[in-house]
Amino acid sequence: MINIAIVGYGNIGKAVEEAIEAAKDMALCGVVMRTQSLNKPQVNVPVVDDITKLSTKPDVAILCTPSRTIAEVAEVCLAHGINTIDSYDIHTGIWELRERLGIAAKKAGSRAIVSVGFDPGGDSVVRALFEVFAPQGQTFTNFGPGMSMGHTVAVKAIEGVKNALSITIPLGTGVHRRLVYVEPQAGYDFGDIAAKIKADPYFVNDETHVYHENNIDSLIDVGHGVNLVRKGVSGRAHNQQFEFGMRINNPALTAQVMVASARASMKQPPGAYTMIEIPIIDMLDGSKEEIIRRLV
Amino acid sequence: MINIAIVGYGNIGKAVEEAIEAAKDMALCGVVMRTQSLNKPQVNVPVVDDITKLSTKPDVAILCTPSRTIAEVAEVCLAHGINTIDSYDIHTGIWELRERLGIAAKKAGSRAIVSVGFDPGGDSVVRALFEVFAPQGQTFTNFGPGMSMGHTVAVKAIEGVKNALSITIPLGTGVHRRLVYVEPQAGYDFGDIAAKIKADPYFVNDETHVYHENNIDSLIDVGHGVNLVRKGVSGRAHNQQFEFGMRINNPALTAQVMVASARASMKQPPGAYTMIEIPIIDMLDGSKEEIIRRLV
């Protein structure tokens, strides 16, 4: 059995707990939370504020804290010989995180798999595979329709916003429409807030519609989707066409991929990796013979 | 530069030559053919009947000979320290081939990647990835519409068949229709041949239509396709939906995946592998940093 600790217990943390429960080769050995007062997990394992306080030492820590906290939280785990899985999703910082965690991991003989989940994560594997199929050509990643966590957080950070939701609509060829629903705080003007949203770096380049909505919760649906297309050249043959799509409960998919990567982390040499650097078979439960006979 | 030899020069061999030409990090160092009289390649490299006769020792041999010859041909290469890539496509024998070539490869310090191409190959990677996304559920592989090499060969082997073509039509949920076009030899009855085809193990379980056609070549189109769908469970979330499709020139796709796997073979420890055991990044040309920054 692989012993797993969950660090951070929001939507993803809860979904990770469910995915661990469904995995025959894994056991949850603890939950690590900074504030133990709110939203306490209903689990039969220790809940602590420091991973070193767990009586069973985890083999892997699945980090479900915000992206900006990942480097620091992961370094502590790695230094204690605990592998880490994170869903760090700031695309421009992935290489740097991998470099930083690689140093900590190699020093302590542990492994980090960074940027695991929907995108970056599963989509990254598909984008890489599509370039194996056709090295020359163009790939478009079309997100949605579905709720964008990153854009929602960006709207909530704007002054005068009480609650918000940002939905991503795919218009094809990597172009997206943003539907933003906002509940203003008392005393703030909806028009001013809408203008600020449209000028925000997250929205300024996209077709953005902002709606006044006082019942945000009634719109929440964690379903999401992607349509990834590539048209390119294999050898000298042009017009090779590839397409990948999913329609999924987003936290459940993210958590499932993190749990599969936790399994894979046990089989890698010390160091830091992204998903495209890991053999996919290592993410699956079962013997090599059974998996190869069934899936290859 | 990675030096590659092509062993066997049919449709796939020619397509491999084109894919090598398009790859910046590879050079073709020779073609190995059993019969040098027919169909001699128009290439500026030595054409020999034995791989050991090449003046430049290949790093990798890409084997484009029929599946039943692969084990023997590969063992010779592996024993000489040459990595092998094959597109062995008999699904029931893949594990055994991997086991056999693994012994030869480890003994000589070389690497074999077996069953590389469309299916097994690219599709196998997608099937494995879909189980990472949703470990519980059902996957259907729907082939076509397109020409089935295996079924065409099976028809041609039936007594009284002069020329033939078998087209695969997807009916969904892994069920296929077979359209078979046959030119009978003089003195053979079309009705008898059609009955034999429908009773053949390749066709007996499928809806099969046999047509008399004396101009088979006018129907040939190496375009093919697949639609791979999975519906399953991530953690406790049911109804997770995944889909992959491609519409491709089949020999060009197969060759391209073989060439990418040749590259990957240089980065693995000695032994035998299927594609799902190889990190996808190893199949791509470029530095890890450039690839990760661009695709993850």
Side-chain angles (χ1 to χ4, degrees), chain A residues 8-292:
Chain A
Y9 200 77
N11 281 337
I12 302 291
K14 280 178 218 167
V16 166
E17 184 200 336
E18 296 178 359
I20 292 169
E21 198 183 287
K24 292 188 195 79
D25 57 338
M26 294 185 180
L28 180 66
C29 69
V31 173
V32 185
M33 296 174 71
R34 199 169 288 180
T35 46
Q36 290 190 53
S37 49
L38 297 162
N39 199 17
K40 189 160 180 169
Q42 300 298 307
V43 287
N44 294 321
V45 293
V47 179
V48 296
D49 61 358
D50 182 329
I51 197 162
T52 62
K53 292 183 184 168
L54 291 174
S55 53
T56 303
K57 185 188 164 185
D59 299 302
V60 189
I62 298 186
L63 311 183
C64 308
T65 58
S67 285
R68 64 190 156 68
T69 68
I70 291 298
E72 223 167 301
V73 175
E75 277 179 337
V76 172
C77 297
L78 293 167
H80 282 90
I82 301 166
N83 298 349
T84 62
I85 308 297
D86 67 68
S87 62
Y88 181 89
D89 67 353
I90 304 164
H91 282 266
T92 49
I94 294 171
W95 174 259
E96 284 70 20
L97 178 67
R98 180 188 171 283
E99 287 283 276
R100 178 170 168 183
L101 299 191
I103 293 166
K106 281 178 188 158
K107 199 169 159 187
S110 46
R111 301 108 187 135
I113 309 185
V114 307
S115 300
V116 170
F118 175 165
D119 196 320
D123 282 358
S124 315
V125 175
V126 174
R127 279 189 291 264
L129 186 63
F130 281 6
E131 295 211 358
V132 169
F133 293 161
Q136 185 176 316
Q138 224 178 346
T139 298
F140 295 109
T141 304
N142 302 298
F143 293 107
M147 180 179 165
S148 169
M149 309 288 179
H151 287 78
T152 298
V153 169
V155 177
K156 285 182 179 172
I158 288 171
E159 200 192 330
V161 173
K162 188 176 171 192
N163 199 0
L165 171 66
S166 179
I167 302 284
T168 303
I169 306 294
L171 302 181
T173 62
V175 177
H176 296 92
R177 177 184 297 145
R178 312 287 173 183
L179 305 183
V180 183
Y181 301 88
V182 173
E183 181 183 357
Q185 285 175 21
Y188 284 87
D189 179 65
F190 171 75
D192 289 350
I193 291 172
K196 277 184 192 158
I197 291 169
K198 289 182 184 182
D200 189 277
Y202 267 86
F203 295 94
V204 71
N205 295 312
D206 296 337
E207 179 194 324
T208 301
H209 303 263
V210 186
Y211 304 99
H212 190 136
E213 171 61 60
N214 285 336
N215 194 357
I216 299 284
D217 286 351
S218 73
L219 301 178
I220 301 273
D221 167 12
V222 296
H224 210 337
V226 73
N227 173 253
L228 226 157
V229 292
R230 181 170 182 81
K231 185 163 71 63
V233 185
S234 313
R236 277 191 215 133
H238 287 244
N239 202 31
Q240 304 281 84
Q241 311 235 4
F242 308 92
E243 189 163 4
F244 162 73
M246 54 181 171
R247 290 270 175 272
I248 42 98
N249 173 315
N250 190 2
L253 188 276
T254 299
Q256 185 66 64
V257 178
M258 293 181 91
V259 165
S261 298
R263 179 181 293 121
S265 75
M266 304 298 291
K267 298 168 190 163
Q268 310 310 311
Y273 306 85
T274 57
M275 278 184 76
I276 66 171
E277 297 168 83
I278 305 278
I280 294 177
I281 198 170
D282 290 351
M283 301 178 196
L284 297 172
D285 185 24
S287 74
K288 282 201 172 183
E289 179 174 352
E290 181 273 321
I291 294 168
I292 289 170

Side-chain angles (χ1 to χ4, degrees), chain A residues 18-19 21-22 91-92 94-96 98 120 122 124-133 135 234-237 239-249 252-253 256-257 260 274 276-281 283-284 288-289 291-296, chain B residues 18-19 21-22 91-92 94-96 98 120 122 124-133 135 234-237 239-249 252-253 256-257 260 274 276-281 283-284 288-289 291-296:
Chain A
E18 296 178 359
E21 198 183 287
H91 282 266
T92 49
I94 294 171
W95 174 259
E96 284 70 20
R98 180 188 171 283
S124 315
V125 175
V126 174
R127 279 189 291 264
L129 186 63
F130 281 6
E131 295 211 358
V132 169
F133 293 161
S234 313
R236 277 191 215 133
N239 202 31
Q240 304 281 84
Q241 311 235 4
F242 308 92
E243 189 163 4
F244 162 73
M246 54 181 171
R247 290 270 175 272
I248 42 98
N249 173 315
L253 188 276
Q256 185 66 64
V257 178
T274 57
I276 66 171
E277 297 168 83
I278 305 278
I280 294 177
I281 198 170
M283 301 178 196
L284 297 172
K288 282 201 172 183
E289 179 174 352
I291 294 168
I292 289 170
R293 284 192 188 279
R294 192 163 55 79
L295 294 178
V296 176
Chain B
E18 295 177 0
E21 199 184 287
H91 282 265
T92 50
I94 293 170
W95 175 258
E96 285 70 20
R98 179 187 172 284
S124 315
V125 174
V126 174
R127 280 190 291 266
L129 187 63
F130 281 7
E131 295 211 359
V132 168
F133 292 161
S234 313
R236 277 191 213 133
N239 202 31
Q240 304 280 84
Q241 312 234 5
F242 308 93
E243 189 163 6
F244 162 74
M246 53 180 171
R247 293 268 175 274
I248 42 99
N249 173 314
L253 188 276
Q256 185 66 63
V257 179
T274 58
I276 67 172
E277 296 168 85
I278 305 278
I280 294 177
I281 198 170
M283 301 179 196
L284 297 173
K288 282 202 172 182
E289 180 174 351
I291 295 168
I292 289 170
R293 283 191 189 278
R294 192 164 53 81
L295 294 177
V296 174

